[in-house]
Amino acid sequence: MLARVSMIAAILLGPATVLAEDASTSFHDLLVEYRCPVVDRLEQIYEAADTANPQNLFLIIDFAARPQDYVQCVFDTRTRMLCEASSGFYYNKPTEPRSYRLPASAIAALGRLGFSTDDSAGNFQIWLDVTDPPDFNRIADFMLKALHDGYGARAGVTLEFNAPLAPRASSQCTPVS
């Protein structure tokens, strides 16, 4: 009887274990491809913070094929950053009815990362503390994790970057292995 219960448990838990391993592997592959471009841009933005227009202290990462799905972070100060994940709230003009919403599973995934989950008045938000010195890897990983878990970003998908102070990566980052 115990062997039968163990076998049933293995059958039931097997797919969940495989899914967790697949998610871990797919996130690692995404980091390998995109962490450096994100880190490089964050570093450039942060370095320019004292002399730049404060409205330009942001990085937006979106999908080439789905620009309505994005994560954006802006340095509020040298010690705080506001990050937003697109909720679909701004997809339509203010005078038009809302036609784009994220699925509940995507909202739940963003909520597990700490984002607000109320999209009734805007995007999902979270405030992050920026350490001294800044841990750009942690911030990049957070942004990419939101894109991975909330919007299905995977290695091989074309992500685009919008950062007036860092239009190109500088290739100074140590790649993920």
Side-chain angles (χ1 to χ4, degrees):
M1 179 71 169
L2 184 58
R4 178 185 242 176
V5 171
S6 296
M7 182 176 74
I8 292 171
I11 290 170
L12 293 175
L13 293 176
T17 303
V18 169
L19 288 175
E21 289 173 6
D22 287 347
S24 176
T25 299
S26 67
F27 181 59
H28 177 266
D29 293 346
L30 185 67
L31 288 178
V32 168
E33 186 170 347
Y34 282 109
R35 182 195 273 163
C36 280
V38 176
V39 166
D40 289 342
R41 286 176 173 87
L42 290 168
E43 287 175 344
Q44 291 175 63
I45 295 165
Y46 189 82
E47 288 171 11
D50 291 334
T51 58
N53 178 340
Q55 293 180 337
N56 291 332
L57 299 176
F58 66 87
L59 170 61
I60 301 171
I61 308 170
D62 65 23
F63 295 80
R66 298 183 345 244
Q68 73 275 10
D69 293 333
Y70 60 87
V71 172
Q72 63 184 358
C73 293
V74 61
F75 288 98
D76 180 55
T77 64
R78 286 204 167 271
T79 60
R80 277 184 13 141
M81 170 177 261
L82 173 64
C83 292
E84 291 187 329
S86 171
S87 67
F89 183 85
Y90 298 105
Y91 183 69
N92 298 95
K93 295 177 184 173
T95 57
E96 297 174 356
R98 187 165 172 188
S99 65
Y100 182 75
R101 294 182 187 274
L102 286 181
S105 60
I107 296 169
L110 294 169
R112 285 189 294 274
L113 294 173
F115 283 93
S116 64
T117 56
D118 179 4
D119 64 352
S120 63
N123 286 329
F124 307 114
Q125 297 184 342
I126 185 172
W127 284 95
L128 301 177
D129 291 327
V130 178
T131 58
D132 183 20
D135 185 347
F136 296 114
N137 285 330
R138 181 184 65 86
I139 298 167
D141 290 2
F142 176 78
M143 293 180 79
L144 291 167
K145 184 74 169 162
L147 288 164
H148 179 272
D149 293 1
Y151 304 96
R154 298 297 186 264
V157 170
T158 302
L159 296 179
E160 296 184 329
F161 303 93
N162 180 354
L165 299 175
R168 284 180 274 309
S170 64
S171 301
Q172 296 176 5
C173 173
T174 303
V176 175
S177 56

